[in-house]
Amino acid sequence: MQHVVVLGGSIAGMAAARALRSLGKRVTVVEPDGLAATMARGGVPQSGQLHALLDMGRTQAERWFPGLSKDLVAEGAVLGSGSEIQLFSRGRRKVSVPGNELIGVSRGLLEEHIRRRTLLDDGVSVTAGKACGLEVRDARVVGVRVRAAGSDEVHLVSADAVVDATGRSSRLASWLREEGWPEPPVDRMRIDLGYATARFRRGHELPDVRVAHQLPPAANGTGAQPDTGAMAAVEGDQWMAVIAAYAGLRPTRDPAEFRRRMREMDAGPFGVVADRCELIGEVETYSMAHSLRRRWWEVERLPGGLFVVGDAVASFNPVYGQGMTSALLHASCLAAYLRKGADLHAPAHAYFHHIRVVVNAAWEISTLSDLAQPHVTGPYPRGYRTARRMAEWMEEASTTDAWVNERFLDVVNMRRRPADLQTPRFWWRVAMARARR
């Protein structure tokens, strides 16, 4: 039985492990924190923030972890649909889309379920330690060097292939350089984002709301932009609310400031929670200096048996909630690549070209909005001004036209690619909606 080492026990790593097990591979997960079924890991400092599992992400999660949504709801997670999901743009509530669903759950509970299910498989083992280098022989990866937890001892874990799921701080490129292999081209876009999350006691103050989201405005790049925020009903009869802003406007840990900024949101549910609900614990903050994309599909010379998933490929502005969904889609790309009979020992060029579609779609959505921020200085893609204006028209039309909003949400939720919004029929509906307004 072929043996694959997965570096990292996050959602990306667990999904990759399940994908590999579906193909009969034996898997070892290397994780510095170990994989005990606890609600938080030191390797995920943003775990206390509100996370979004987009609709396509939930579809992929159900593929690799059947019945996951049902089990989460049984433990208090909240499934919202249709009008229970309230989206606000430019001070107006968008028209609801029947059938649109989102599940409100903390990242801790979600990861706990995913880890527990993965570790029930006898074909998955765990090594507590930190990966510190690759072993490459005869042009293919044959193992990974691991420093044992709490020790300076380094040992080799042999493997037929290695999957890097170590996140945005991945050192894979430098390991390859040390072995004489080229590094991938890297795109960085400085966004200087800060966000803060608070938990509130949830009662009956908003009986018809499960999720509320103040969307990022389709700004024109002039002047400071208002806060973006989201809130969701989660397990434990709680609301989790997050506020995000850029540069000098980043939120702090001050609870009074957090409540004030909630009240200033155009989305009414934020003010209701700020006024009526008890704050639980402290406000947690996190910052992200830049979005990052490593273009592995452009590397012409790769060692065989090497794969990369999740944030180790690309990490996007978290305001758009694409991270977990992208990671789950990468696992599906990995399974599809191997299911076609690909040689596990060969360079995985076709795999990287496959995930390029997922990565570039998410990158296009997030960076187009980020470039509208006055402090973001590029690089600007060709045709940016036209794309920016069209995005403003689409945002305006999706506020009142359910058909336009449904297709817009299909792209936001990664069910469709951004190119699917370029059809003549779609833009005719956008024009009609704007004319009616």
Side-chain angles (χ1 to χ4, degrees), residues 34 85 118 124 172 256 287 312 315 362 367 393 400:
I85 303 171
T118 303
V124 177
L172 178 60
S287 61
S315 56
T367 57
W393 294 343
T400 57

Side-chain angles (χ1 to χ4, degrees), residues 39 73 162 171 209 247 257 272 353 389 420 432:
M39 292 292 286
V73 170
V162 170
R171 298 187 61 236
V209 179
E257 177 199 308
V272 173
H353 280 281
R389 180 60 59 85
D420 291 336
M432 292 300 98

Side-chain angles (χ1 to χ4, degrees), residues 87-95 266-267 396 399-400 437:
L87 309 179
F88 294 80
S89 176
R90 299 186 181 188
R92 298 184 62 180
R93 179 180 166 186
K94 283 193 171 190
V95 61
D266 291 329
E396 180 183 342
T399 303
T400 57
R437 291 189 63 181

Side-chain angles (χ1 to χ4, degrees), residues 187-190 363 367 371 376-381:
D187 296 317
R188 286 184 176 84
M189 179 175 289
R190 185 165 185 84
W363 185 265
T367 57
L371 285 168
V376 177
T377 57
Y380 291 88

Side-chain angles (χ1 to χ4, degrees), residues 134-405:
L134 292 177
E135 187 79 9
V136 182
R137 298 179 198 150
D138 299 326
R140 77 173 183 89
V141 176
V142 296
V144 59
R145 292 187 286 276
V146 176
R147 180 176 292 110
S151 170
D152 291 331
E153 179 185 353
V154 175
H155 64 281
L156 178 68
V157 179
S158 298
D160 292 285
V162 170
V163 178
D164 179 16
T166 56
R168 62 183 282 121
S169 60
S170 167
R171 298 187 61 236
L172 178 60
S174 62
W175 296 344
L176 288 174
R177 184 180 66 247
E178 292 169 3
E179 296 286 340
W181 296 87
E183 300 178 57
V186 177
D187 296 317
R188 286 184 176 84
M189 179 175 289
R190 185 165 185 84
I191 58 175
D192 198 14
L193 172 74
Y195 52 106
T197 292
R199 293 175 179 254
F200 295 86
R201 192 78 61 194
R202 176 164 54 90
H204 302 289
E205 58 283 333
L206 291 168
D208 300 322
V209 179
R210 298 293 179 267
V211 176
H213 190 186
Q214 178 150 308
L215 298 169
N220 58 15
T222 60
Q225 302 305 315
D227 290 343
T228 296
M231 52 178 270
V234 300
E235 73 274 7
D237 295 323
Q238 296 179 10
W239 293 107
M240 288 187 74
V242 62
I243 295 173
Y246 297 87
L249 298 176
R250 290 176 296 179
T252 70
R253 297 172 62 90
D254 181 3
E257 177 199 308
F258 194 93
R259 287 185 185 272
R260 174 183 60 77
R261 293 175 80 149
M262 288 183 72
R263 294 187 185 102
E264 292 172 353
M265 293 276 190
D266 291 329
F270 286 86
V272 173
V273 170
D275 288 335
R276 301 186 190 179
C277 298
E278 173 193 356
L279 181 68
I280 303 171
E282 298 180 346
V283 177
E284 296 190 33
T285 58
Y286 190 74
S287 61
M288 183 171 173
H290 56 264
S291 297
L292 176 71
R293 175 175 60 175
R294 297 180 174 101
R295 302 198 305 271
W296 287 100
W297 46 89
E298 294 183 14
V299 179
E300 295 183 0
R301 192 169 65 90
L302 284 169
L306 182 64
F307 303 88
V308 191
V309 296
D311 283 1
V313 180
S315 56
F316 316 97
N317 185 334
V319 164
Y320 309 102
Q322 301 161 316
M324 292 192 295
T325 298
S326 293
L328 289 157
L329 283 167
H330 296 170
S332 294
C333 291
L334 176 60
Y337 168 75
L338 294 175
R339 192 171 289 116
K340 291 178 180 177
D343 182 358
L344 191 64
H345 296 157
H349 294 292
Y351 163 75
F352 286 112
H353 280 281
H354 195 174
I355 65 169
R356 176 185 60 177
V357 177
V358 176
V359 171
N360 287 351
W363 185 265
E364 180 179 339
I365 292 170
S366 64
T367 57
L368 182 63
S369 295
D370 289 338
L371 285 168
Q373 299 294 331
H375 69 284
V376 177
T377 57
Y380 291 88
R382 180 179 299 177
Y384 166 74
R385 291 185 182 277
T386 300
R388 184 72 253 161
R389 180 60 59 85
M390 294 173 73
E392 293 174 9
W393 294 343
M394 181 171 57
E395 179 187 331
E396 180 183 342
S398 66
T399 303
T400 57
D401 189 300
W403 189 90
V404 171
N405 197 28

Side-chain angles (χ1 to χ4, degrees), residues 57-114:
R58 194 159 64 90
T59 298
Q60 298 300 316
E62 287 289 335
R63 174 184 181 184
W64 299 119
F65 307 94
L68 177 64
S69 296
K70 181 180 178 181
D71 288 350
L72 290 171
V73 170
E75 289 205 30
V78 180
L79 182 64
S81 63
S83 61
E84 296 174 331
I85 303 171
Q86 299 188 2
L87 309 179
F88 294 80
S89 176
R90 299 186 181 188
R92 298 184 62 180
R93 179 180 166 186
K94 283 193 171 190
V95 61
S96 298
V97 174
N100 186 33
E101 292 186 342
L102 283 173
I103 190 165
V105 60
S106 68
R107 172 155 181 166
L109 182 60
L110 177 62
E111 270 203 8
E112 180 185 17
H113 273 264
I114 286 176

